[in-house]
Each structure stands twice: as C-alpha cells, then as structure tokens.
Amino acid sequence: MAATLKDATAIVGIGQTAFAKQLPQSEKELACRAILAALDDAGIDPSEVDAFSSYTMEETDEVEVAKAIGAGDVTFFSKIGYGGGGSCATVGHLAAAVATGQASVGVAWRSRKRGSGPRPWKNTAVQLPTPGQWTRPFGLLRPADEIGMLARRYMHEYGATRDHLFNVAMACRNRANENPAAMMYERPLTREMYMTSRMISDPLCLFDNCLETDGALACVIVSAERARDCRQKPVYVHSVAQGLPSQHHGMVNYWNDDPLSGPAWTAARHLWKQADFGPQDVDVAQIYDAFTPLIPLSLEGYGFCGRGEGAAFTEGGALEMGGRLPINTGGGGLSEAYVHGFNLINEGVKQLRGISTAQVPDAATCLVTAGEGVPTSAILLRA
Amino acid sequence: MQPTTKPATPPTPPTPSASADGLLLPVPDEDGAPFWEYTAQGELRVQGCAEPACGKLRFPPRPCCPHCRSFDSEWRLMSGRGRIWSYVQPHPPLLPAYAAQAPYNVILVELADAPHIRLAGNLVASADAPMNSVDPARLRIGARVQVVFTETGGMAVPRWILEKS
Ligand SMILES: [Zn+2]
C-alpha cells in the first residue's frame, strides 16, 4: 500500500467555549468562538482555513461559519452522520484531505445547545420510520432505553453489576472534580449517591447518563510538516477509522447475530492495523461515554481486554489516575460536558501536550473514540 | 430476471389514527407494511427470502436479501413463541402517555422459530392490559412468552404474555 495517513497530519490548535446547562449565545456564535479560539491557539489566521468538517446534526453549516470567521476559498468540506459516532471522523476526514493535498488548514467543530434545546424523542407528533415502527410504540423512546436493553443483557451474560457501571461514572466524575472547566467541577459523586439515585431506564440510573450541555469545541489540523512551525507542540494523527459493521441496525443493534459486539469492533480492527503500536501501549484513553455501559463495551471492542471482560477491567481503580488505563481525564460526557464527544478529542490533545488538569505523566499515546452503538469512528493520537 | 412472488396488489399499510391511551402507534414504511397487515389478521409473520436455495429470514423487513441478493420475499408464519432476551424499565421523563404507566417494561423477545430475530414489545398480563400490568419481579431473561395482539387505533400491536408452564 503506497499511501497512509500515519502521522501525516497533526492537531495544532484546540478551542472551546464555556460549558453550562444554559448559555445565552446562539449555536452559531458558540461555534465561531470555539473555532477562532482554536485558530488563535494554533497561531493560524482564519483567512487560511480551506477545509471544514462537522456532524450532520450540526446546525451551524460551513457556509455560515466560513463567512463569519472570514475564511478564504474553501476546497474541502464534509459532514459525518450518526450523532456522537461522528466526532473522530471529522478529524479523520480533514486528515485525509490535508494529507492528499485537497486542503491545507482544516477546522473540525461541534456546537450544541442540548442543555437548553429540544430533544427529538420528546416530539409526540413525529414518528420515525424504520426502526422507529419496531421500537417506539412499545416505549423504547430514548437512547437510554435502547442502550439499557443492551446493558441488561450484558450484565446477564457476563456478571457485570451496577458497581462496575459506578466505577465508570466515578472515574469520570473524579477527573471532572480536577477540571475547573467541567460542569461537575465542584460536585463530587459517592457510591451512595449513585446507588440511591433515581432510575432513568432500569438498569441505568441518573449517573449512568451523560450531561445536558450548551457549548462548542473546535480543533485545527495541518500537515505534519507545517505543524512543526506552529505555536503549539504538534499532536500527530497516527491512525483513523470509521466503523459500520455488517448487518448493523443503529442504536438498536438487537437484530444482529451478536448485538453486544458493536461498531467499536469494526473501527478497532482498522485502527490497529494502521498503527505502529497496540492497545497495551496506550497511555491514556478518551472513550465515548454517553452512557456508562459504553465503556466496558468499548474496552472490549478496542482490545484492552477480552470479550466479556470489560466490566471486570474497571475494578481496582483501573480507570483512575495511576490505574491501568486512565480514561476521560477531563471528565468526559458524563461529567465534563456532553458535546457529542468533541471534548474527548480536545482532551486527548491536552494530554499529549502535557497540559491536562489530570495529566498522565509523560503521556505519548492516546485513543479517542466516538459513540459506540451507532456507526462510529476513532483516532489514535501521538505526541 | 427472477419471477416475483410479491402479491399482485401490495398490501396497503394500515393508517394509524390516535390510540385511545395516547401511546405511539407504529407508522409502517413500505417494507414494514405487510408485518402490520398480518398482525391485523392475528398473525405474527416474518419476512423471508423466497429464493429456494436461500430461504433465510430477515428483520427488519427490507427490499433485498443480504445473503443471496434476491428481491423475492415471502412472509412466514411464526408460532408466536419466544424467550425474553433482555428488558428495561423506563422511568420519566417520558412522553405523557408513557409516563402515566411508568415504570413499565419493554422486553426484547427472541423468537423460538427464528434465532437472532428479536422483537421489541411489552410483557403484559393479558392482551388489553397496560404495559405495567406484570409485577417487575416476574421479568426474567430466558422466560418463555407467547404473543398476543392488542387492537388500538385501527392497528394490532403484538404484545407478550408469560407462557403457562
Ligand atoms: Zn436469500
């Protein structure tokens, strides 16, 4: 194979707005602020941006953003589907565009007002087609209900318990307690709070669900060559992958032969095949955590442990600082902010720059993943 | 060109009106319409490949067989028996009609006749009983269940009762 994306590009700028349940600014303004902050961080003038990538669910489109920030001629733009499954693919698409000369300065972003905005499953008037006709009438209304179904089966099959899910929620909350920008900065979690909290979709309780956040984030991608002259230490995009498994059915993967091996497994195979290192060499991971059960499922999918061993992996402080695999060091979607996983990308960059509020000493490699359960994506970053 | 085994007149999807209890009704798409036609007749049928060399069942319904790519399909009658593969109990915040019954159960039933075909539904005490009519203590993965049909809003929605042992 002649061409590879391996280390051909780097993330050289990151930016974010405040995170809160309610922010006064529009999504468009939040997007522009995050993008301009990322470009400033990189030391690159907005007029040099010629590539954009975001999510299909992003309300702020590249035409508006390019105009607002004063970009020049844009020669590459893309949008990734499937909500939180798209986060890492925005970086992947820009890496491919820059590495192949279609563009030189790429910006990926996500701006979202989920804290104060509407939820699609709250709408009584709209009934989605397939697979909605097979699930909605029976009261599988929210993503938590759909993932709860997989979680219950996972617990049944492998002896996973609510204590394992608590380990995930606790690791994220502990890191958020160290991160002044996190929504849960000054709000510790205890096992008692977790075990006595209200159920959302039994077996999932309140603390198994991500936050509801207003906020925006962005990052800037250039060639590895150009990155060496930028203001910040480059964080190289080492490997990228998307994952849409055979016979996949979206968040309700119930009709697959094996519903417990989701898109992570597909993305992981390509991700590791293209990489110079393996799961055992990952210093820190940012794993998509819209719901706590996605962590054990992802740990298995990305090869940190065997099938069915993800819950046991969380024992003994493995996900905490100094543990076997510190995760979601900014607090993740569960405790920093839920912006469809983009905060996980920026947190990965912070770790490899050595500036995280929960810094893993000498972190040189980081896995970042996008939403599991839906068509997904992942990137390996290295210093 | 393969001969088509589709009915000469494609089934008309039932037109859902509001259900009496305010619950959402299935809105069939073109591929799913026959399923709801059959439930209206009290039959649980699953789409299968009509190519004799293949014959595999598939769900949700779709135009083409993923195994042999045949566009010929037929709807096979199921026994209506299955086992609970998993379940959840949703609590509010929920749509009002669902919140009124919460916590209720949603079960996923693996069909006895068709491994890996799993239908979402509700475990109820009888066909017309509410979604919270079974004591949650009786929910158990592996429990044997039998389909029943609930008439609502001009449609027949499959629900499930525990099989008498
Ligand atoms: Zn076939």
Side-chain angles (χ1 to χ4, degrees), chain A residues 56-75:
Chain A
T56 55
M57 290 182 181
E58 173 61 42
E59 297 292 325
T60 310
D61 68 43
E62 55 276 346
V63 175
E64 290 300 310
V65 168
K67 192 160 52 184
I69 68 164
D73 288 347
V74 174
T75 55

PDB file of all heavy atoms in Angstrom, chain A residues 56-75:
ATOM      1  N   THR A  56     -23.492  15.767  10.792  1.00  0.00           N
ATOM      2  CA  THR A  56     -24.753  16.070  10.094  1.00  0.00           C
ATOM      3  C   THR A  56     -25.751  16.736  11.049  1.00  0.00           C
ATOM      4  O   THR A  56     -26.624  17.468  10.615  1.00  0.00           O
ATOM      5  CB  THR A  56     -25.424  14.796   9.525  1.00  0.00           C
ATOM      6  OG1 THR A  56     -25.602  13.861  10.585  1.00  0.00           O
ATOM      7  CG2 THR A  56     -24.595  14.180   8.423  1.00  0.00           C
ATOM      8  N   MET A  57     -25.608  16.455  12.342  1.00  0.00           N
ATOM      9  CA  MET A  57     -26.525  17.046  13.308  1.00  0.00           C
ATOM     10  C   MET A  57     -26.094  18.444  13.730  1.00  0.00           C
ATOM     11  O   MET A  57     -26.732  19.055  14.586  1.00  0.00           O
ATOM     12  CB  MET A  57     -26.654  16.147  14.538  1.00  0.00           C
ATOM     13  CG  MET A  57     -27.404  14.863  14.240  1.00  0.00           C
ATOM     14  SD  MET A  57     -27.587  13.854  15.713  1.00  0.00           S
ATOM     15  CE  MET A  57     -28.448  12.434  15.027  1.00  0.00           C
ATOM     16  N   GLU A  58     -25.001  18.950  13.156  1.00  0.00           N
ATOM     17  CA  GLU A  58     -24.534  20.296  13.464  1.00  0.00           C
ATOM     18  C   GLU A  58     -25.416  21.304  12.732  1.00  0.00           C
ATOM     19  O   GLU A  58     -25.545  21.260  11.516  1.00  0.00           O
ATOM     20  CB  GLU A  58     -23.063  20.441  13.033  1.00  0.00           C
ATOM     21  CG  GLU A  58     -22.497  21.837  13.144  1.00  0.00           C
ATOM     22  CD  GLU A  58     -22.509  22.387  14.580  1.00  0.00           C
ATOM     23  OE1 GLU A  58     -22.183  21.639  15.492  1.00  0.00           O
ATOM     24  OE2 GLU A  58     -22.876  23.564  14.743  1.00  0.00           O
ATOM     25  N   GLU A  59     -26.026  22.200  13.506  1.00  0.00           N
ATOM     26  CA  GLU A  59     -26.946  23.175  12.916  1.00  0.00           C
ATOM     27  C   GLU A  59     -26.203  24.304  12.214  1.00  0.00           C
ATOM     28  O   GLU A  59     -26.746  24.981  11.351  1.00  0.00           O
ATOM     29  CB  GLU A  59     -27.851  23.765  14.012  1.00  0.00           C
ATOM     30  CG  GLU A  59     -28.752  22.749  14.698  1.00  0.00           C
ATOM     31  CD  GLU A  59     -29.825  22.194  13.782  1.00  0.00           C
ATOM     32  OE1 GLU A  59     -30.328  22.949  12.927  1.00  0.00           O
ATOM     33  OE2 GLU A  59     -30.135  20.999  13.906  1.00  0.00           O
ATOM     34  N   THR A  60     -24.963  24.548  12.626  1.00  0.00           N
ATOM     35  CA  THR A  60     -24.188  25.640  12.049  1.00  0.00           C
ATOM     36  C   THR A  60     -23.412  25.102  10.858  1.00  0.00           C
ATOM     37  O   THR A  60     -22.469  24.346  11.039  1.00  0.00           O
ATOM     38  CB  THR A  60     -23.208  26.189  13.103  1.00  0.00           C
ATOM     39  OG1 THR A  60     -23.937  26.453  14.296  1.00  0.00           O
ATOM     40  CG2 THR A  60     -22.565  27.464  12.621  1.00  0.00           C
ATOM     41  N   ASP A  61     -23.784  25.483   9.639  1.00  0.00           N
ATOM     42  CA  ASP A  61     -23.117  24.860   8.498  1.00  0.00           C
ATOM     43  C   ASP A  61     -21.859  25.623   8.092  1.00  0.00           C
ATOM     44  O   ASP A  61     -21.612  26.738   8.522  1.00  0.00           O
ATOM     45  CB  ASP A  61     -24.075  24.656   7.327  1.00  0.00           C
ATOM     46  CG  ASP A  61     -24.525  25.961   6.704  1.00  0.00           C
ATOM     47  OD1 ASP A  61     -23.696  26.859   6.510  1.00  0.00           O
ATOM     48  OD2 ASP A  61     -25.729  26.073   6.407  1.00  0.00           O
ATOM     49  N   GLU A  62     -21.062  24.971   7.240  1.00  0.00           N
ATOM     50  CA  GLU A  62     -19.751  25.531   6.886  1.00  0.00           C
ATOM     51  C   GLU A  62     -19.870  26.840   6.123  1.00  0.00           C
ATOM     52  O   GLU A  62     -18.979  27.684   6.203  1.00  0.00           O
ATOM     53  CB  GLU A  62     -18.920  24.510   6.097  1.00  0.00           C
ATOM     54  CG  GLU A  62     -19.559  23.946   4.841  1.00  0.00           C
ATOM     55  CD  GLU A  62     -20.491  22.767   5.117  1.00  0.00           C
ATOM     56  OE1 GLU A  62     -20.449  22.224   6.231  1.00  0.00           O
ATOM     57  OE2 GLU A  62     -21.272  22.416   4.222  1.00  0.00           O
ATOM     58  N   VAL A  63     -20.965  27.048   5.401  1.00  0.00           N
ATOM     59  CA  VAL A  63     -21.141  28.309   4.670  1.00  0.00           C
ATOM     60  C   VAL A  63     -21.200  29.477   5.654  1.00  0.00           C
ATOM     61  O   VAL A  63     -20.499  30.485   5.496  1.00  0.00           O
ATOM     62  CB  VAL A  63     -22.431  28.268   3.817  1.00  0.00           C
ATOM     63  CG1 VAL A  63     -22.685  29.608   3.151  1.00  0.00           C
ATOM     64  CG2 VAL A  63     -22.349  27.161   2.780  1.00  0.00           C
ATOM     65  N   GLU A  64     -22.003  29.294   6.681  1.00  0.00           N
ATOM     66  CA  GLU A  64     -22.153  30.356   7.692  1.00  0.00           C
ATOM     67  C   GLU A  64     -20.871  30.568   8.484  1.00  0.00           C
ATOM     68  O   GLU A  64     -20.477  31.698   8.764  1.00  0.00           O
ATOM     69  CB  GLU A  64     -23.303  29.998   8.641  1.00  0.00           C
ATOM     70  CG  GLU A  64     -24.667  30.069   7.995  1.00  0.00           C
ATOM     71  CD  GLU A  64     -24.977  31.470   7.482  1.00  0.00           C
ATOM     72  OE1 GLU A  64     -24.807  32.427   8.247  1.00  0.00           O
ATOM     73  OE2 GLU A  64     -25.361  31.597   6.304  1.00  0.00           O
ATOM     74  N   VAL A  65     -20.250  29.456   8.857  1.00  0.00           N
ATOM     75  CA  VAL A  65     -19.030  29.563   9.661  1.00  0.00           C
ATOM     76  C   VAL A  65     -17.913  30.221   8.850  1.00  0.00           C
ATOM     77  O   VAL A  65     -17.231  31.133   9.331  1.00  0.00           O
ATOM     78  CB  VAL A  65     -18.598  28.171  10.167  1.00  0.00           C
ATOM     79  CG1 VAL A  65     -17.192  28.229  10.751  1.00  0.00           C
ATOM     80  CG2 VAL A  65     -19.585  27.663  11.209  1.00  0.00           C
ATOM     81  N   ALA A  66     -17.736  29.782   7.613  1.00  0.00           N
ATOM     82  CA  ALA A  66     -16.658  30.332   6.764  1.00  0.00           C
ATOM     83  C   ALA A  66     -16.832  31.838   6.597  1.00  0.00           C
ATOM     84  O   ALA A  66     -15.870  32.611   6.678  1.00  0.00           O
ATOM     85  CB  ALA A  66     -16.660  29.629   5.409  1.00  0.00           C
ATOM     86  N   LYS A  67     -18.065  32.227   6.370  1.00  0.00           N
ATOM     87  CA  LYS A  67     -18.377  33.652   6.184  1.00  0.00           C
ATOM     88  C   LYS A  67     -18.077  34.430   7.465  1.00  0.00           C
ATOM     89  O   LYS A  67     -17.431  35.481   7.433  1.00  0.00           O
ATOM     90  CB  LYS A  67     -19.859  33.757   5.824  1.00  0.00           C
ATOM     91  CG  LYS A  67     -20.319  35.087   5.314  1.00  0.00           C
ATOM     92  CD  LYS A  67     -21.626  34.944   4.539  1.00  0.00           C
ATOM     93  CE  LYS A  67     -22.708  34.201   5.332  1.00  0.00           C
ATOM     94  NZ  LYS A  67     -23.932  33.988   4.554  1.00  0.00           N
ATOM     95  N   ALA A  68     -18.548  33.870   8.587  1.00  0.00           N
ATOM     96  CA  ALA A  68     -18.426  34.602   9.851  1.00  0.00           C
ATOM     97  C   ALA A  68     -16.975  34.788  10.291  1.00  0.00           C
ATOM     98  O   ALA A  68     -16.597  35.857  10.749  1.00  0.00           O
ATOM     99  CB  ALA A  68     -19.223  33.883  10.946  1.00  0.00           C
ATOM    100  N   ILE A  69     -16.168  33.734  10.140  1.00  0.00           N
ATOM    101  CA  ILE A  69     -14.780  33.852  10.635  1.00  0.00           C
ATOM    102  C   ILE A  69     -13.857  34.477   9.606  1.00  0.00           C
ATOM    103  O   ILE A  69     -12.692  34.745   9.884  1.00  0.00           O
ATOM    104  CB  ILE A  69     -14.199  32.488  11.081  1.00  0.00           C
ATOM    105  CG1 ILE A  69     -14.000  31.556   9.876  1.00  0.00           C
ATOM    106  CG2 ILE A  69     -15.088  31.839  12.146  1.00  0.00           C
ATOM    107  CD1 ILE A  69     -13.089  30.372  10.167  1.00  0.00           C
ATOM    108  N   GLY A  70     -14.365  34.727   8.389  1.00  0.00           N
ATOM    109  CA  GLY A  70     -13.530  35.333   7.352  1.00  0.00           C
ATOM    110  C   GLY A  70     -12.547  34.362   6.726  1.00  0.00           C
ATOM    111  O   GLY A  70     -11.390  34.704   6.479  1.00  0.00           O
ATOM    112  N   ALA A  71     -13.018  33.126   6.502  1.00  0.00           N
ATOM    113  CA  ALA A  71     -12.180  32.151   5.800  1.00  0.00           C
ATOM    114  C   ALA A  71     -12.017  32.578   4.346  1.00  0.00           C
ATOM    115  O   ALA A  71     -12.836  33.351   3.816  1.00  0.00           O
ATOM    116  CB  ALA A  71     -12.817  30.771   5.877  1.00  0.00           C
ATOM    117  N   GLY A  72     -10.954  32.061   3.708  1.00  0.00           N
ATOM    118  CA  GLY A  72     -10.774  32.329   2.279  1.00  0.00           C
ATOM    119  C   GLY A  72     -11.551  31.318   1.458  1.00  0.00           C
ATOM    120  O   GLY A  72     -12.631  30.877   1.858  1.00  0.00           O
ATOM    121  N   ASP A  73     -11.021  30.961   0.289  1.00  0.00           N
ATOM    122  CA  ASP A  73     -11.657  29.935  -0.534  1.00  0.00           C
ATOM    123  C   ASP A  73     -11.554  28.581   0.172  1.00  0.00           C
ATOM    124  O   ASP A  73     -10.471  28.185   0.605  1.00  0.00           O
ATOM    125  CB  ASP A  73     -10.964  29.834  -1.896  1.00  0.00           C
ATOM    126  CG  ASP A  73     -11.282  31.031  -2.775  1.00  0.00           C
ATOM    127  OD1 ASP A  73     -12.218  31.798  -2.436  1.00  0.00           O
ATOM    128  OD2 ASP A  73     -10.587  31.215  -3.789  1.00  0.00           O
ATOM    129  N   VAL A  74     -12.667  27.886   0.249  1.00  0.00           N
ATOM    130  CA  VAL A  74     -12.689  26.585   0.909  1.00  0.00           C
ATOM    131  C   VAL A  74     -12.749  25.502  -0.163  1.00  0.00           C
ATOM    132  O   VAL A  74     -13.586  25.555  -1.068  1.00  0.00           O
ATOM    133  CB  VAL A  74     -13.895  26.485   1.866  1.00  0.00           C
ATOM    134  CG1 VAL A  74     -14.008  25.088   2.457  1.00  0.00           C
ATOM    135  CG2 VAL A  74     -13.762  27.524   2.979  1.00  0.00           C
ATOM    136  N   THR A  75     -11.877  24.497  -0.056  1.00  0.00           N
ATOM    137  CA  THR A  75     -11.796  23.471  -1.103  1.00  0.00           C
ATOM    138  C   THR A  75     -12.179  22.078  -0.614  1.00  0.00           C
ATOM    139  O   THR A  75     -12.162  21.116  -1.364  1.00  0.00           O
ATOM    140  CB  THR A  75     -10.374  23.418  -1.689  1.00  0.00           C
ATOM    141  OG1 THR A  75      -9.446  23.208  -0.622  1.00  0.00           O
ATOM    142  CG2 THR A  75     -10.041  24.724  -2.402  1.00  0.00           C
TER     143      THR A  75
END
